[in-house]
Amino acid sequence: MVKLLNRGAFIVSLIIAMLSTGCLAEGKTVSGWAWQRVLKQDRFQDAMQMPTAMFVDAEKGHYYVVDSGRNRLLSFNRQGELLNIFNAGRALQTPFDMVKTGVGGIWVVEKGKNSLSYIDLKARTVTPATLYFKGTLVYPDRIESAGSMLYVLDKATGSIISYDSDLVAKTRFSCSDCGTGFVDFKIHGKRIWALDQQGKAVYRFRLDGTREAVIQLGDTVNFPVSLDIGPSGYIYVLDRHARDVAVYDKGGVFKYRFLGKGISRGQLYYPVEIRFDPWGGLCVVDEGNARVEIFTR
Amino acid sequence: MRNSVLVMFLLIVVALLSVDRSQAADVSCFKCHDPARFTGKVVHKPVADARCDVCHNPHVARYKGLLRQRQDVLCYSCHRQQEKAFARGVVHDPVARGNCSACHAPHAGSRKGLIRDDPAADCFACHKELPEKYQVTHRPYAEGRCMSCHRPHQADNLQLLAGDSDHLCLSCHELAELEKGHEDFPSKLKNCLSCHNPHGSERAGLIRNVLHQPFKDGCGSCHDGSAGLGMANCLKCHPDVQEQMLAPHSHLSQTNGNSCLNCHSPHAGDDDNLLKGPERLLCASCHGQTMAGYRQSRYRHSDIQDCSGCHEVHGSRNLAMLKGDGNGVCVQCHETQGKFTHPVGPGVLDRFTGQMVTCVSCHNPMGTEFEYHLVREGKKALCIVCHRAY
């Protein structure tokens, strides 16, 4: 009997010890996510400074990282090896986000010029364009593409605006009831998923502008800055202040969270964007640690 | 014989146990503590019941005043409904810190709710930035009736107002009378606080002290029906702000089409920046959890008056919208740091990330659970993050 009691006490104390070390509390053992690789410049003297976004070229199997602090774009292969560093002849001014087109060009949000710039890789030209919506100046922040359309997040209004290839504005996706507007969005399954930071909610729109759903995240997040939709339809939300990723099912029910604060491998300091690659990896762009880390299950 | 002694002993024990412990405590307490200090028009129930021991341990305690528990834990052990209600929305700082006695007398008093005799004095004890009176003082303020407009525990707004601000104004001021005094008002009369300071000012009509030049020039300079009221209108005169907004991180964000109006009044303000309220309150309106985290941290950078001491308010090319890198901000005040401590600066790179080691690599001024607001325990855990061989 005494032995049984002692064994019970041992098991209870083991559980308490695990909880107190954050082992279970942080969900690291239940989430099943594991660090896979890092995208970074290995030469410290040439390290990235405040990378802010990434893009994945599924066809070529390349990752592209926007190195905002050093005004350049870096490309990596699927193994995480650096392929190229591109600064468009020093023409880029505070690049912030990018998408690659199917015809060998790159659209880059240049905050320094408040422009959406087109880099023609063959012609080696950079053409900045100032965007407007109904006569009002747009401040491009995030960019996504779907088909021939570009979708641009206007930081000044917190709304998403679609543009055709001639940069003619078409549709605006906004929320009049969501405080300071959207801070990030992704296109998944012919839907726009937009993150309302202040209201801690995810808005889902059809591409024709119709609002389909509002998914409340509640107090499960502190300072959400980015989101993406996983292969199974789960919603992943990056919490900059908590330095972790919160995961919700399709209905918005909180499931678990993973990752944590730090500078070591697999830890986050000032994360700014998440994005799934076509191979199921979750890429986390970390401004503070100046790298992109890729996690897989 | 032995049995009768045993019976006698048991009787004595039972008699001792049956003595009313509270009465005994009461008698003992008031031998030293003057009972007159514990009487009044309103007496707290445990005091009225002479149950000093409900809150105090007569022998020894971890808490000041020989309290059995932390003050708020004691209060909420009876006032359970309040505990739930006070946790909602924006919580007044003394409530958040569990300092009920900042405003309430724990034993006896003359006011309902055991509010201390001069509630306004309690408010001013913390709100030292507020003057006792202004050149022109709003009557409720002059009379110390803070609760006419504010809620003392919590509210759904940062100013802890008891309701919508315009609605509060109209609870005393007749709309028809107000309209007579605002004949040129370009729209329906609203948003009183955009021009008026509800406490007081140097100007008649409680108009805020500093007037925006276009407001001085007359409402028509902006509200002429043609000029836009968006951010572009503001940036015409403030191009330097536009420059700052082009940084990777900025405070551009939606508010009725004009980001500037998130923080600034277009009409009048109490300082040269025409802020819509005290800076920390404005910041907390979006960064409430950050502020709460700062307040609740065990160790944090003290003497932080305003966020703008370290952070840019419009836009920044640094992490966390700091005014410089993790050293540049700190050496504004800590001039000698970094010269004799752990190496920091451009030549010292973190082995994991290749980023410059700075003050904020080890310290978090916004607060941590460790001494010197270190990000980890400072004797070992912090060091071995980098120095693993040790």
Side-chain angles (χ1 to χ4, degrees), chain B residues 275-328:
Chain B
L275 291 179
K276 286 165 86 175
E279 187 182 301
R280 275 204 278 189
L281 277 185
L282 279 175
C283 299
S285 63
C286 291
H287 302 280
Q289 279 183 291
T290 303
M291 301 296 251
Y294 171 76
R295 211 167 41 218
Q296 289 158 9
S297 293
R298 193 164 175 195
Y299 297 97
R300 62 194 184 196
H301 194 290
S302 57
D303 304 325
I304 294 180
Q305 296 303 318
D306 283 318
C307 309
S308 61
C310 298
H311 299 275
E312 291 286 4
V313 289
H314 295 126
S316 165
R317 298 180 187 281
N318 298 295
L319 285 175
M321 281 185 66
L322 286 173
K323 283 187 159 175
D325 59 44
N327 292 328

Side-chain angles (χ1 to χ4, degrees), chain A residues 134-261:
Chain A
K134 292 187 176 174
T136 303
L137 181 67
V138 166
Y139 288 78
D141 191 66
R142 292 288 176 199
I143 179 172
E144 294 287 321
S145 63
S148 61
M149 300 296 286
L150 290 171
Y151 295 81
V152 176
L153 175 62
D154 175 18
K155 190 159 170 61
T157 61
S159 58
I160 300 153
I161 303 161
S162 64
Y163 291 89
D164 65 17
S165 52
D166 295 323
L167 299 184
V168 176
K170 294 293 178 186
T171 310
R172 183 152 84 161
F173 306 78
S174 59
C175 56
S176 54
D177 52 344
C178 70
T180 52
F182 301 131
V183 293
D184 189 28
F185 73 103
K186 294 289 186 314
I187 300 174
H188 180 87
K190 294 185 179 175
R191 300 287 187 277
I192 287 180
W193 301 74
L195 180 63
D196 167 16
Q197 183 180 74
Q198 203 172 30
K200 296 180 181 177
V202 175
Y203 284 64
R204 194 176 73 223
F205 297 91
R206 287 176 184 274
L207 294 182
D208 64 6
T210 314
R211 186 197 289 185
E212 268 189 346
V214 181
I215 300 158
Q216 298 293 339
L217 307 177
D219 285 332
T220 49
V221 283
N222 178 345
F223 199 74
V225 291
S226 182
L227 88 167
D228 204 355
I229 308 303
S232 61
Y234 272 32
I235 304 164
Y236 289 72
V237 176
L238 177 65
D239 191 329
R240 187 171 171 96
H241 288 181
R243 274 88 173 179
D244 65 14
V245 175
V247 185
Y248 306 81
D249 70 13
K250 293 170 185 174
V253 176
F254 173 75
K255 304 304 284 186
Y256 63 93
R257 59 195 325 122
F258 65 105
L259 303 181
K261 184 180 178 179

